[in-house]
């Protein structure tokens, strides 16, 4: 008897075992996909995890439906990594599979429901919910389970469907289908028969009575002579002006042969590649030190100030690694994945660079996946965001994690809640490859690891070309207000500096840490501010659409004319966002071009690129933006950066708020004066004596690090302690409260004082679910594996309490 353990893309604690025939056992390999039955009528795509001869003890193994691949689509490194992720981040292999595979690889058992047209039924026998579904089928020929779930606004719709089937109102069909279709391009060539000169002459003679067809053949010759490449049908029709029916008749006659080539969507259009740059002495020293460090450490941290030329150092390392025939993964936060960097790397490495991006279509992702899987020359260097750690590398030589401090490397929702930087280190280790972490403002975690000699450490302290670090000035807005030196949110100093910069023909960037026009609308009569009906937050005012929006669930409504509570008409806006700053700038500098970059203006695949290009082309004089501005962008002509308000980031209720503020401000400052002229940064604040601001203005990373680490020691925070956050969610507040008290009490029996909570988070209700948080702190000497085991045990007993079964529990290891 032969069996396989299969990973199925649903959150099951254990792998499921299926039985296979001897022939199947012979053919199947670990990492191939199989279609398997699950539950009563479901069919899932699973990935074979192992093949063995041990029947499961607890149940009788079912047969698989069919084998879906001829060779593995997932390799053994990946399966090992999936396993590690599921253990470390406390989630199931199915969760990891969902995140790891392009969705086109997960064939879905989509239950399709159609109306039963064979006999008409008496509608009066249908209950309300049944009627709703039946009614919907009058407008749509078929519905899927999730359509029905949204029509009825509930999850478990199977009973309704079952009843409808029994009443013969509907029929159900199960179908598994392949979603991914490679894009094929149609080509034509002359039938080989005509390569002989005699035949060709004969053909042209024959065609003299069909001049249009003759034209087509002649055009085909001239295109292929010119390009020396296969000729696309589309090119042939444009160049010859012939209709497709003429080409068709040539094909029918056997003069032309048509064929198809699979075209990569993720295409590189450039031509020549250029040599990489000569490093200056600091870069060269760093490169030598990194190589030496790799002799001793798997991981090395490169701390290089902004514009020190880290990218060029990476390029040299990449050259070495691909020379050895190995693959390179270049990880970046999503937002920093700009055309700027892609172009830069493609100039050096041509089509060996492949990009993996969440804004790419699933088809494009599948192509990159296959290129990596087959170790194709087209994917030697993968430039990608978080999820590219899941690609099927089989010969990785180096991983670069650029901007390693970025919090967006951690996936927040759904599971697996993995940190791509930390996972990259594990992945590299599996391949016996090296990891280079790079940043101008390293995370405390990585810097701490370097200090402990767990990671190697290399520094570049000078900007490329000896450009000076920007001059940073703190502006006390409390004082400015008192002395009436503010216009709106602009101090006289900021206005002066802007005027000077603009008059010299340079550009300005203004940073504001909030999206929207003015986060909160408040009634001046009664103090009420409009709240989201689903979440415990105030709605944010967006001037552009004259809307109130919830940033947690997306709820929106038109801006109110009157206060909902007292009916008063005096509604005021508190706080300020990018939109309001943009409005004020336009009034202050009407003769200059102003643009805004935030989540609202950068939707769509190229939304972000358009703004960056406009800034590069100097079509924009002043750019107002959020965090998006901070990410590794290289603008030649920006000389002044204004930070509108440093206080709201510093006061954010999170233990990383100070570290993050430092990083953010240093990174935004880094956008100023990247060429010969020294840049200027103005930071407006109510509290210029705040330590972080002093450290930012003197570029003092070390002082920031030491002071923050003291806090982390004292308050038992990472990186000194590890922590796991447990969030319980339910729509009934009392239930989630009772449940969380039970959970925390059980944890305390094991972990004593190292358990904090339960506590309601600042936003206690999101999408109609009340949240409670519990935090488990784990001292360095305590075994992480044992800790998790104990938590899982408690979690399992929790789940077996009937009353708590409907409470959702989210485990977040190394939470951010
Ligand atoms: P970082 O990533 O450290 O912020 P970059 O790699 O973007 O810095 O380099 C900053 C600028 O200096 C870029 O415009 C880059 O082209 C230029 N540069 C860096 N190193 C060199 C070099 N060795 N030769 C020529 N130009 C360089
Ligand atoms: Zn909401």
């Amino acid at each position: 008897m032969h069996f396989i353990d299969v990973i199925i893309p649903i959150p099951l604690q254990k792998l499921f075992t299926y039985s296979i025939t001897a022939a199947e056992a012979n053919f199947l390999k670990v990492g191939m996909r199989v279609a398997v039955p699950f539950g009563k009528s479901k069919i899932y795509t699973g990935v074979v995890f192992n093949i063995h001869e041990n029947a499961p003890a607890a149940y009788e193994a079912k047969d698989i439906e069919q084998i879906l691949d001829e060779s593995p689509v997932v390799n053994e490194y990946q399966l090992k990594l999936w396993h590690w992720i599921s253990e470390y981040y406390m989630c199931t292999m199915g969760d990891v599979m969902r995140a790891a595979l392009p969705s086109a690889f997960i064939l879905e058992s989509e239950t399709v429901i159609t109306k039963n047209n064979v006999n008409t039924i008496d509608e009066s026998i249908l209950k309300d919910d049944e009627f709703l579904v039946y009614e919907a089928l009058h407008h749509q020929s078929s519905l899927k389970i999730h359509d029905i779930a949204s029509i009825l606004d509930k999850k478990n719709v199977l009973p309704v469907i079952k009843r409808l089937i029994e009443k013969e109102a509907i029929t159900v069909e199960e179908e598994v289908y392949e979603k991914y279709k490679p894009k094929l391009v149609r080509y034509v060539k002359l039938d080989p028969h005509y390569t002989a000169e005699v035949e060709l002459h004969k053909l042209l003679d024959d065609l003299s009575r069909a001049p249009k067809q003759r034209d087509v053949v002649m055009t085909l010759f001239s295109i292929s002579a010119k390009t020396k490449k296969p000729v696309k049908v589309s090119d042939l029709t444009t160049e010859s002006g012939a209709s497709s029916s003429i080409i068709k008749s040539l094909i029918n006659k056997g003069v032309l042969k048509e064929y198809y080539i699979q075209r990569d969507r993720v295409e590189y259009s450039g031509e020549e590649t250029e040599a990489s740059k000569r490093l200056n002495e600091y870069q060269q020293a760093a490169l030598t030190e990194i190589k030496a460090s790799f002799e001793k450490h798997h991981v090395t941290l490169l701390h290089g100030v902004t514009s020190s030329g880290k990218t060029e150092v990476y390029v040299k390392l990449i050259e070495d690694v691909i020379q050895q025939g190995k693959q390179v993964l270049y990880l970046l936060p999503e937002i920093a994945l700009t055309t700027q960097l892609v172009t830069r790397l493609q100039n050096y490495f041509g089509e060996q660079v492949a990009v993996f991006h969440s804004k790419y279509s699933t088809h494009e992702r599948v192509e990159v996946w296959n290129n990596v899987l087959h170790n194709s020359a087209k994917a030697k260097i993968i430039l990608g965001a978080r999820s590219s750690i899941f690609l099927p590398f089989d010969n990785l030589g180096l991983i670069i994690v650029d901007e390693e401090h970025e919090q967006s490397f951690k996936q927040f929702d759904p599971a697996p809640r993995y940190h791509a930087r930390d996972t990259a280190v594990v992945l590299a280790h599996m391949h016996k490859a090296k990891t280079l972490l790079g940043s101008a403002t390293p995370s405390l975690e990585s810097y701490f690891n370097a200090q402990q000699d767990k990671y190697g450490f290399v520094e570049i302290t000078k900007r490329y070309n000896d450009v000076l670090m920007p001059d940073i000035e703190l502006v006390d807005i409390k004082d400015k207000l008192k002395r009436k030196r503010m216009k709106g949110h602009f101090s006289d100093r900021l206005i002066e500096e802007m005027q000077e910069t603009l008059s010299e023909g340079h550009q300005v960037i203004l940073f504001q840490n909030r999206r929207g026009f003015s986060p909160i609308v408040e009634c001046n009569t009664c103090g009420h501010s409009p709240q989201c009906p689903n979440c415990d937050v105030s709605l944010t005012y967006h001037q552009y659409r004259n809307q109130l929006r919830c940033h947690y669930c997306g709820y929106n409504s038109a801006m109110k004319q009157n206060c909902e509570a007292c009916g008063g008409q005096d509604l005021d806006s508190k706080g300020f966002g990018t939109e309001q700053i943009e409005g004020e700038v336009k009034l202050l500098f009407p003769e200059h071009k102003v643009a805004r970059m935030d989540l609202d203006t950068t939707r769509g695949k190229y939304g972000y690129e358009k703004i960056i290009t406009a800034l590069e082309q100097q079509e924009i004089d002043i750019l107002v933006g959020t965090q998006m501005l901070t990410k590794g962008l290289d603008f030649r002509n920006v000389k002044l950066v204004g930070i509108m308000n440093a206080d709201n980031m510093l006061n954010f209720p999170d233990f990383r708020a100070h570290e993050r503020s430092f990083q953010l401000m240093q990174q935004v400052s880094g956008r100023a004066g990247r060429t010969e002229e020294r840049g200027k940064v103005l930071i407006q604040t109510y509290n210029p004596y705040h330590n972080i601001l002093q450290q930012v203005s003197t570029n003092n990373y070390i002082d920031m690090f030491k002071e923050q680490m003291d806090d982390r020691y004292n308050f038992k925070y990472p990186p000194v302690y590890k922590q796991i956050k447990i969030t319980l969610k339910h729509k009934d507040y009392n239930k989630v409260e009772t449940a969380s008290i039970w959970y925390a009490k059980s944890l305390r029996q094991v972990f004593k004082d190292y358990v904090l909570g339960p506590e309601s988070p600042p936003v206690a209700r999101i999408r109609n679910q009340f949240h409670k948080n519990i935090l488990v702190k784990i001292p360095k000497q305590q075994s992480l594996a044992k800790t998790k085991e104990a938590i899982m045990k408690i979690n399992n007993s929790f789940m077996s309490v009937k009353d708590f079964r409907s409470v959702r529990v989210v485990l977040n290891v190394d939470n951010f």
Side-chain angles (χ1 to χ4, degrees):
M1 286 290 275
H2 302 271
F3 298 93
I4 50 175
D5 296 338
V6 177
I7 310 167
I8 308 173
I10 47 176
L12 295 170
Q13 297 270 345
K14 294 209 173 86
L15 298 187
F16 242 68
T17 305
Y18 290 88
S19 72
I20 49 173
T21 64
E24 285 169 336
N26 214 359
F27 183 80
L28 265 180
K29 292 194 184 68
V30 167
M32 285 190 194
R33 289 172 302 161
V34 284
V36 292
F38 188 80
K40 276 219 173 66
S41 60
K42 279 264 151 201
I43 295 175
Y44 280 106
T45 299
V47 169
V48 179
F49 187 71
N50 62 33
I51 305 171
H52 55 85
E53 297 180 358
N54 315 316
Y59 53 93
E60 188 171 345
K62 290 186 188 168
D63 297 337
I64 63 170
E65 291 279 329
Q66 80 196 96
I67 298 173
L68 296 170
D69 294 309
E70 317 231 296
S71 59
V73 291
V74 177
N75 67 34
E76 306 233 7
Y77 288 114
Q78 289 175 285
L79 291 176
K80 239 167 91 183
L81 187 71
W82 293 11
H83 189 64
W84 179 84
I85 291 174
S86 78
E87 300 246 292
Y88 188 88
Y89 292 106
M90 302 179 82
C91 61
T92 69
M93 290 282 269
D95 288 331
V96 188
M97 174 182 171
R98 263 258 176 248
L101 289 184
S103 59
F105 277 0
I106 303 178
L107 309 173
E108 290 202 296
S109 139
E110 303 260 38
T111 310
V112 178
I113 286 150
T114 53
K115 210 166 98 203
N116 184 357
N117 290 320
V118 181
N119 48 351
T120 40
I121 61 152
D122 174 12
E123 291 181 0
S124 66
I125 63 165
L126 299 178
K127 290 193 191 166
D128 285 355
D129 50 1
E130 296 165 11
F131 181 74
L132 276 176
V133 177
Y134 190 70
E135 167 80 356
L137 283 169
H138 285 286
H139 305 295
Q140 270 166 293
S141 59
S142 67
L143 291 171
K144 295 194 178 141
I145 297 279
H146 66 263
D147 299 325
I148 294 176
S150 59
I151 290 169
L152 299 180
D153 194 26
K154 65 176 180 187
K155 256 226 184 88
N156 187 6
V157 295
L158 293 178
V160 182
I161 295 169
K162 191 167 149 262
R163 280 186 266 121
L164 279 165
I165 296 171
E166 286 162 359
K167 293 178 182 171
E168 298 191 344
I170 60 169
T171 52
V172 167
E173 45 183 309
E174 284 268 315
E175 60 175 358
V176 170
Y177 60 93
E178 182 97 36
K179 278 192 201 154
Y180 168 66
K181 290 211 177 50
K183 184 160 181 188
L184 298 174
V185 180
R186 188 165 160 238
Y187 288 80
V188 278
K189 61 184 176 193
L190 205 60
D191 189 285
H193 178 66
Y194 298 106
T195 35
E197 188 130 2
V198 213
E199 294 299 331
L200 184 59
H201 278 297
K202 211 166 134 245
L203 170 68
L204 292 176
D205 273 354
D206 284 352
L207 288 181
S208 60
R209 268 167 298 128
K212 281 190 183 160
Q213 295 187 3
R214 197 168 183 275
D215 270 2
V216 170
V217 175
M218 297 307 286
T219 314
L220 179 67
F221 279 135
S222 77
I223 297 178
S224 53
K226 207 163 56 200
T227 62
K228 307 218 166 22
K229 280 187 188 152
V231 180
K232 288 184 202 143
V233 173
S234 57
D235 288 347
L236 187 57
T237 42
T238 11
E239 293 237 349
S240 67
S243 67
S244 52
S245 66
I246 294 175
I247 293 175
K248 189 100 208 298
S249 58
L250 281 166
I251 293 170
N252 290 342
K253 273 191 191 169
V255 176
L256 299 182
K257 271 186 100 89
E258 65 177 332
Y259 60 107
Y260 291 86
I261 298 180
Q262 181 173 334
R263 194 189 66 134
D264 276 2
R265 280 180 192 77
V266 192
E267 236 172 348
Y268 166 66
S269 51
E271 268 120 49
E272 296 297 297
T273 57
E274 62 185 58
S276 61
K277 299 206 163 52
R278 247 183 84 97
L279 300 184
N280 70 15
E281 58 178 307
Y282 307 104
Q283 291 170 313
Q284 188 55 52
L287 179 65
T288 314
E289 286 171 39
I290 291 168
K291 287 182 178 169
S293 165
F294 279 159
E295 299 288 318
K296 285 185 294 190
H297 294 98
H298 299 296
V299 186
T300 292
L301 171 65
L302 171 61
H303 180 198
V305 295
T306 51
S307 207
S308 56
K310 294 185 285 297
T311 318
E312 303 300 329
V313 176
Y314 303 153
V315 166
K316 298 288 179 193
L317 289 166
I318 295 171
E319 281 176 350
D320 277 3
V321 174
I322 55 172
Q323 205 114 69
Q324 299 161 29
K326 296 189 174 163
Q327 298 163 313
V328 176
L329 170 60
Y330 191 134
L331 270 180
L332 271 160
E334 183 80 51
I335 229 162
L337 255 179
T338 57
T339 355
Q340 266 192 341
L341 184 70
V342 176
T343 315
R344 213 162 138 189
L345 290 180
Q346 280 175 336
N347 283 342
Y348 297 143
F349 299 107
E351 61 173 21
Q352 300 179 92
V353 181
V355 184
F356 198 68
H357 197 292
S358 77
K359 282 187 180 172
Y360 279 171
S361 70
T362 168
H363 305 286
E364 290 170 314
R365 287 152 167 258
V366 168
E367 268 157 16
V368 176
W369 182 283
N370 286 333
N371 283 337
V372 176
L373 182 68
H374 301 127
N375 205 348
S376 136
K378 276 189 184 163
K380 287 292 174 199
I381 304 158
I382 303 295
L383 189 59
R386 191 167 69 204
S387 61
S388 47
I389 55 152
F390 290 119
L391 286 167
F393 301 101
D394 75 337
N395 192 15
L396 204 50
L398 172 69
I399 302 184
I400 292 164
V401 186
D402 198 11
E403 314 285 352
E404 67 84 28
H405 62 278
E406 266 294 320
Q407 62 188 92
S408 60
F409 280 127
K410 175 83 157 99
Q411 171 143 321
F412 172 64
D413 220 16
R417 297 179 174 79
Y418 65 102
H419 197 301
R421 175 195 62 213
D422 301 342
T423 309
V425 169
V426 175
L427 172 66
H429 200 70
M430 287 174 180
H431 286 263
K432 300 193 168 52
K434 304 294 176 191
T435 309
L436 182 66
L437 311 179
S439 175
T441 52
S443 61
L444 294 196
E445 276 78 5
S446 297
Y447 205 85
F448 181 67
N449 279 331
Q451 279 208 332
Q452 307 273 307
D453 203 37
K454 201 173 149 200
Y455 293 173
F457 182 70
V458 176
E459 249 180 329
I460 310 180
T461 53
K462 287 233 164 34
R463 286 187 141 189
Y464 181 74
N465 246 344
D466 295 321
V467 179
L468 290 171
M469 292 301 282
D471 169 30
I472 302 181
E473 178 181 327
L474 301 172
V475 180
D476 183 346
I477 37 181
K478 192 153 73 198
D479 176 65
K480 294 287 180 194
L481 272 173
K482 212 163 33 192
R483 298 200 275 136
K484 304 218 176 336
R485 299 263 173 84
M486 294 292 288
K487 277 193 188 147
H489 295 95
F490 290 76
S491 62
D492 55 352
R493 279 296 296 130
L494 183 53
I495 295 174
E496 274 162 34
E497 287 291 335
M498 286 176 73
Q499 273 159 349
E500 192 183 321
T501 306
L502 292 167
S503 70
E504 289 165 352
H506 293 299
Q507 293 160 293
V508 179
I509 284 180
L510 298 177
F511 172 77
Q512 171 56 27
N513 194 28
R514 276 190 192 172
R515 184 154 67 97
F517 177 74
S518 116
I520 292 163
V521 173
E522 207 175 83
C523 171
N524 279 339
T525 316
C526 75
H528 172 83
S529 45
Q531 303 286 308
C532 174
N534 314 316
C535 314
D536 276 351
V537 284
S538 302
L539 294 168
T540 300
Y541 178 46
H542 285 241
Q543 185 188 42
Y544 166 65
R545 293 201 192 87
N546 199 31
Q547 262 186 352
L548 294 169
R549 301 185 68 92
C550 172
H551 285 185
Y552 285 84
C553 73
Y555 169 87
N556 59 72
S557 76
M559 173 62 185
K560 306 271 184 292
Q561 297 305 316
N562 303 77
C563 173
E564 290 167 307
C566 74
Q569 296 197 331
D570 188 8
L571 298 180
D572 198 5
S573 49
K574 292 266 150 69
F576 60 112
T578 40
E579 219 178 312
Q580 192 173 16
I581 300 295
E582 184 193 16
E584 289 183 20
V585 180
K586 282 181 171 160
L587 291 178
L588 286 168
F589 297 93
E591 68 284 14
H592 286 100
K593 287 192 213 86
V594 185
R596 174 162 61 93
M597 178 148 92
D598 56 25
L599 269 180
D600 294 328
T601 59
T602 55
R603 293 187 206 286
K605 191 160 171 177
Y606 297 111
Y608 186 59
E609 254 73 49
K610 271 192 219 144
I611 299 177
I612 291 173
T613 312
L615 191 69
E616 272 176 342
Q617 305 294 325
Q618 304 192 27
E619 284 161 21
I620 297 174
D621 301 316
I622 305 164
L623 181 63
V624 182
T626 56
Q627 349 300 61
M628 285 191 178
L629 286 173
T630 59
K631 311 300 187 275
L633 293 170
D634 189 18
F635 300 120
R636 323 265 74 204
N637 195 41
V638 171
K639 226 189 109 188
L640 175 67
V641 168
I643 295 176
M644 301 308 296
N645 176 326
D647 306 296
N648 58 24
M649 5 176 186
L650 286 167
N651 298 333
F652 197 75
D654 180 292
F655 72 92
R656 284 192 176 89
H658 287 183
E659 176 190 357
R660 268 190 208 145
S661 305
F662 180 90
Q663 287 161 340
L664 214 58
M665 285 188 265
Q666 283 263 298
Q667 293 285 349
V668 199
S669 305
R671 302 311 117 210
R674 288 170 72 92
T675 42
E676 296 77 42
E677 287 188 71
R678 187 171 189 195
K680 173 96 188 169
V681 179
L682 284 182
I683 303 179
Q684 302 194 131
T685 171
Y686 281 93
N687 184 7
Y689 300 103
H690 196 293
N691 279 351
I692 287 288
L693 293 176
Q694 292 295 326
Q695 288 150 2
V696 168
S697 67
T698 53
N699 247 314
N700 198 334
Y701 179 87
I702 297 293
D703 270 11
M704 184 282 294
F705 176 78
K706 287 188 183 140
E707 193 178 291
Q708 293 305 311
M709 283 303 290
D710 281 346
D711 277 359
R712 306 285 175 96
Y713 271 111
N714 294 337
F715 301 108
K716 301 190 169 55
Y717 279 122
V720 185
Y721 286 68
K722 285 212 161 254
Q723 61 184 32
I724 297 175
K725 186 163 103 182
I726 301 165
T727 305
L728 279 66
K729 306 179 184 177
H730 199 273
K731 60 178 192 298
D732 174 356
Y733 180 81
N734 290 328
K735 179 165 272 199
V736 79
E737 179 165 68
T738 325
S740 59
I741 290 169
W742 187 101
Y743 208 118
K745 203 172 132 207
S746 315
L747 288 168
R748 272 203 186 86
Q749 282 167 1
V750 184
F751 303 112
K752 312 278 181 288
D753 290 348
Y754 288 114
V755 180
L756 300 183
E759 226 178 300
S760 290
V763 179
R765 187 178 52 122
I766 298 176
R767 293 172 198 273
N768 277 322
Q769 301 274 318
F770 289 97
H771 290 206
K772 285 280 180 185
N773 288 332
I774 305 168
L775 211 56
V776 179
K777 306 225 176 210
I778 308 159
K780 273 267 140 75
Q781 64 278 10
Q782 184 176 318
S783 154
L784 199 56
K786 291 229 172 77
T787 306
K788 288 176 192 162
E789 226 171 83
I791 294 177
M792 277 324 278
K793 228 180 190 166
I794 290 168
N795 196 57
N796 288 341
S797 351
F798 176 84
M799 296 296 193
S800 63
V801 178
K802 195 158 157 267
D803 235 22
F804 298 155
R805 208 161 288 154
S806 57
V807 177
R808 218 164 89 76
V809 180
V810 172
L811 299 171
N812 192 339
V813 180
D814 298 340
N815 71 298
F816 267 64

